[in-house]
Amino acid sequence: MSVSQRLAGKIKKDFPADSEAVLSLLHEVERESFGGAASERLLAAVILVSRGDIDRLVMALELMATDWRDLLVDAGLESEDWASRLDEFFDSAES
């Protein structure tokens, strides 16, 4: 799966100097753990949890690979309202 435009924009905003490296890491873990088929929800959870910090990003990627459900909980995207919460996340990124 390719990263959505809105997720790519959030990555560029949160990691301006390292956005290409972040995208590369995201794709690598996605490919290895999910055969390249991770959802935007899961990929966004990594970025949401990382809060612009590379060390937190690495921890979130490890969590995605080992127990993606815990990652969704940490990101607040585990409930039925995850889609609206994800929209809020991206709307706040654009402001």
Side-chain angles (χ1 to χ4, degrees), residues 2 8 73 77 83:
S2 62
V73 170
L77 299 175

Side-chain angles (χ1 to χ4, degrees), residues 21-42:
V22 169
L23 284 167
S24 179
L25 286 169
L26 212 59
H27 284 298
E28 181 180 330
V29 173
E30 176 193 28
R31 187 182 68 252
E32 290 176 4
S33 299
F34 298 93
S39 66
E40 180 187 44
R41 175 187 182 192
L42 193 53

Side-chain angles (χ1 to χ4, degrees), residues 19 31 33 48 65 73 81 92-93:
S19 61
R31 187 182 68 252
S33 299
L48 202 156
V73 170
D81 68 341
S92 70

Side-chain angles (χ1 to χ4, degrees), residues 23-67:
L23 284 167
S24 179
L25 286 169
L26 212 59
H27 284 298
E28 181 180 330
V29 173
E30 176 193 28
R31 187 182 68 252
E32 290 176 4
S33 299
F34 298 93
S39 66
E40 180 187 44
R41 175 187 182 192
L42 193 53
L43 299 176
V46 171
I47 302 307
L48 202 156
V49 167
S50 68
R51 291 184 266 163
D53 181 90
I54 291 290
D55 291 332
R56 290 182 60 83
L57 175 81
V58 170
M59 288 188 298
L61 287 168
E62 290 172 356
L63 189 55
M64 182 173 98
T66 57
D67 193 342

